[in-house]
Amino acid sequence: MEGYAKVTRYCRNMRGYGPNPPDPQWPGGARVAVQFVVNYEEGGENCILHGDEASEAFLSEIVGAAAWPAMRHWNMESIYEYGARAGFWRLHRLFTQAQVPVTVFGVASALARAPEQVAAMQEAGWEIASHGLKWIDYRAHAQEDERRDLDEAVRLHTEVVGEAPTGLYLGRTSVNSVKLAIEQGGFAWLSDTYDDDLPYWLDHDGQGNPMRPQLVIPYTLDANDMRFATAQGFNSGDQFFAYLKDAFDTLYEEGRAGRPAMMSVGLHCRLVGRPGRVAALKRFVDYVKGHEKVWLPRRIDIARHWMEHHPYRAPDLVPSRMDEAAFVERFGGIFEHSPWIAERALRLELGPAHDSAAGLHNALSRAFRSASGEERLDVLKAHPDLAGKLEGARRLTPESTREQASAGLDALTDEERARFTDLNTRYVQKFGFPFIIAVKDHTKDGILKAFETRIENSREEEFATACAEVERIAYLRLKDMLPS
């Protein structure tokens, strides 16, 4: 809108739930939800037999593996084949005997080459989610090509499994992958993020574009057996078990203290399915089952629970999504009679981190702090005297009226009013601006004591103190409008 600054959107959400995440209310009062994922990729990896340009080079026993252009890599293929032929069945036995349901991230083309494994997954009651059409890297794919592959992944998955996937984890994503999955519209949950310990709703791309609300259940790359095949990863099952145990113990204690969360464990048939590693996984499964108040769901179970107990609710006020005029109108009075502060804040990089009281306060305060001394003095002068002429004439802003009333400054005795009038007069004569204090932090007696103490300050000291109080008042006003 002409006359206002252009908002610079920052698409990444660095705040999430902030300091106060919701109680997930896990079934049975569980302190933690532990969710096991079996990635089924074998037969969907890069291979010229699959129409790819080169062999696979990712997540295998071959240290420093590189793609072989236009050639089959026999060793690589056989490592993946081990996951299908032996590793899968070892994991299947472990989880079915322990009566622990899992979610499968199934590559559609791999599932099509594994009818017996699919039947075993279904018989065990496992959730079979989509892991894309092929286990390939989409970072450089054109958006339309990726969309076409996603549509084909859903079609093929439905044909092979007998029902469409309700969840998706692509894994080797592009910047468009999550957006395309949301546009596809058929997934109850997505997991192509690693950014939280709880599910959340994604409804905006951060660029000013709304999206259909989509439930996200974050995944993990740390509590993941892929680190058996990466640098600085796990060298032994003991390391794997120790890491999983530490993660579980931390989350379990946090849940005991009233902050339940979720733990994902990522597994691959060709990696942890090896005899030398699966023993550590079994120890961890037994360890988890040895604790009370632990929920062991599939991802679809988490999704259904979240939809029931934490359904999507459109936020009432999201500063980073507001247009320029609305933003200035809503927040232009946070710093008393100084809408230019809101206008300048719009020139900063605004994003989800600024949608809380603390976040927006920081943006507005930056604009105030970077202003000239004369401009900041004007802000100080815009504040009314405490219990002064404007209050008596009922000409305070609504915010100032409420604030002064909260400290009882609207109901002074004649003696108290005379005292305030004398202090106001002497203070303004000395400093050239009215006495400013965040009255919500003080009682009437405390305000008078601060008044008498601060009137002895030097002008430089008092100017800095008054500016700090202006910022404090702004924060308290924002707390009444936005989540803390």
Side-chain angles (χ1 to χ4, degrees):
M1 186 172 184
E2 187 176 352
Y4 291 102
K6 176 64 177 176
V7 178
T8 302
R9 308 285 183 182
Y10 187 64
C11 60
R12 296 170 64 196
N13 187 339
M14 310 298 279
R15 180 173 187 268
Y17 287 119
N20 301 303
D23 180 352
Q25 303 174 48
W26 297 138
R31 294 167 181 161
V32 61
V34 181
Q35 205 287 300
F36 292 92
V37 170
V38 173
N39 290 268
Y40 196 87
E41 301 156 351
E42 291 76 10
E45 77 277 15
N46 281 287
C47 178
I48 64 171
L49 293 177
H50 306 157
D52 301 308
E53 296 179 355
S55 63
E56 186 57 68
F58 194 49
L59 294 187
S60 79
E61 308 293 339
I62 303 173
V63 177
W68 291 6
M71 297 176 63
R72 291 181 64 185
H73 193 320
W74 192 266
N75 292 348
M76 182 65 73
E77 290 178 21
S78 67
I79 288 171
Y80 271 75
E81 288 160 15
Y82 182 91
R85 294 162 57 117
F88 169 81
W89 297 108
R90 189 167 282 121
L91 296 182
H92 182 266
R93 289 191 296 272
L94 188 161
F95 285 113
T96 54
Q97 290 171 10
Q99 296 184 313
V100 174
V102 306
T103 289
V104 176
F105 289 171
V107 174
S109 55
L111 296 175
R113 297 182 173 108
E116 287 183 287
Q117 290 91 334
V118 169
M121 296 172 194
Q122 293 175 315
E123 185 176 351
W126 292 2
E127 175 190 15
I128 308 177
S130 178
H131 201 5
L133 177 62
K134 301 166 70 173
W135 178 228
I136 60 176
D137 194 337
Y138 280 94
R139 60 182 168 176
H141 273 55
Q143 191 169 168
E144 284 307 310
D145 291 339
E146 186 176 351
R147 179 183 283 110
R148 192 177 306 111
D149 274 8
L150 180 59
D151 290 342
E152 176 59 14
V154 172
R155 187 205 66 79
L156 181 58
H157 184 110
T158 305
E159 182 179 279
V160 170
V161 176
E163 58 184 3
T166 54
L168 171 69
Y169 172 73
L170 190 63
R172 297 159 83 172
T173 59
S174 76
V175 71
N176 298 311
S177 299
V178 170
K179 181 186 72 169
L180 291 173
I182 294 173
E183 289 176 357
Q184 199 275 342
F187 298 109
W189 58 264
L190 303 180
S191 283
D192 273 304
T193 65
Y194 315 96
D195 54 4
D196 215 302
D197 295 315
L198 286 173
Y200 61 87
W201 291 97
L202 182 64
D203 66 351
H204 213 268
D205 69 354
Q207 305 295 329
N209 303 310
M211 301 185 298
R212 180 183 67 86
Q214 174 66 62
L215 183 63
V216 175
I217 304 178
Y219 188 45
T220 178
L221 295 181
D222 68 309
N224 194 309
D225 69 354
M226 68 174 287
R227 293 180 60 197
F228 281 117
T230 60
Q232 295 183 322
F234 303 126
N235 290 323
S236 70
D238 287 342
Q239 292 177 344
F240 184 46
F241 172 76
Y243 190 88
L244 296 182
K245 178 180 179 298
D246 284 349
F248 173 82
D249 287 346
T250 297
L251 292 169
Y252 192 81
E253 287 306 310
E254 290 178 353
R256 190 200 301 271
R259 300 175 72 88
M262 175 187 74
M263 178 181 180
S264 294
V265 181
L267 307 169
H268 298 75
C269 301
R270 64 190 175 281
L271 297 177
V272 79
R274 293 280 177 175
R277 296 169 182 151
V278 77
L281 175 60
K282 185 179 187 306
R283 288 203 302 275
F284 180 67
V285 171
D286 292 342
Y287 181 75
V288 169
K289 292 192 69 180
H291 288 70
E292 63 174 3
K293 293 186 178 297
V294 176
W295 187 34
L296 297 169
R298 304 166 303 172
R299 254 168 158 69
I300 188 61
D301 302 321
I302 294 174
R304 289 168 179 162
H305 175 87
W306 205 262
M307 291 173 183
E308 177 182 354
H309 293 275
H310 301 279
Y312 173 77
R313 291 186 175 89
D316 296 327
L317 183 61
V318 186
S320 69
R321 300 183 192 175
M322 296 172 71
D323 64 36
E324 293 89 342
F327 184 92
V328 175
E329 180 181 0
R330 193 66 180 265
F331 302 113
I334 295 298
F335 281 74
E336 195 84 359
H337 297 294
S338 302
W340 61 267
I341 292 177
E343 292 170 359
R344 291 185 189 179
L346 282 170
R347 302 172 193 168
L348 302 174
E349 182 183 79
L350 294 184
H354 301 100
D355 292 333
S356 67
L360 185 55
H361 180 255
N362 182 264
L364 293 170
S365 294
R366 285 175 60 189
F368 175 62
R369 294 166 191 165
S370 62
S372 68
E374 193 64 33
E375 288 173 319
R376 283 182 289 153
L377 178 59
D378 287 343
V379 174
L380 301 187
K381 290 180 177 179
H383 278 260
D385 289 341
L386 292 183
K389 295 178 180 179
L390 288 180
E391 185 272 333
R394 300 188 181 280
R395 290 170 53 200
L396 297 179
T397 64
E399 293 83 4
S400 291
T401 298
R402 287 192 296 269
E403 289 158 3
Q404 294 204 23
S406 71
L409 301 185
D410 62 338
L412 298 177
T413 65
D414 290 343
E415 181 181 352
E416 289 170 333
R417 185 171 297 279
R419 190 176 174 194
F420 266 104
T421 300
D422 175 62
L423 286 168
N424 280 331
T425 301
R426 289 194 290 122
Y427 184 96
V428 173
Q429 287 175 347
K430 180 175 181 178
F431 298 116
F433 51 84
F435 177 76
I436 300 169
I437 192 169
V439 295
K440 283 188 176 182
D441 290 337
H442 302 276
T443 62
K444 179 170 55 182
D445 290 341
I447 293 169
L448 283 168
K449 184 176 180 180
F451 216 148
E452 292 171 339
T453 298
R454 285 170 49 187
I455 203 169
E456 302 301 323
N457 284 344
S458 69
R459 180 151 189 315
E460 182 179 4
E461 289 173 327
E462 189 55 19
F463 184 82
T465 301
C467 286
E469 289 296 324
V470 165
E471 291 186 17
R472 176 66 181 166
I473 292 168
Y475 178 61
L476 293 173
R477 289 176 176 179
L478 287 169
K479 283 185 69 176
D480 290 336
M481 304 169 67
L482 294 166
S484 300

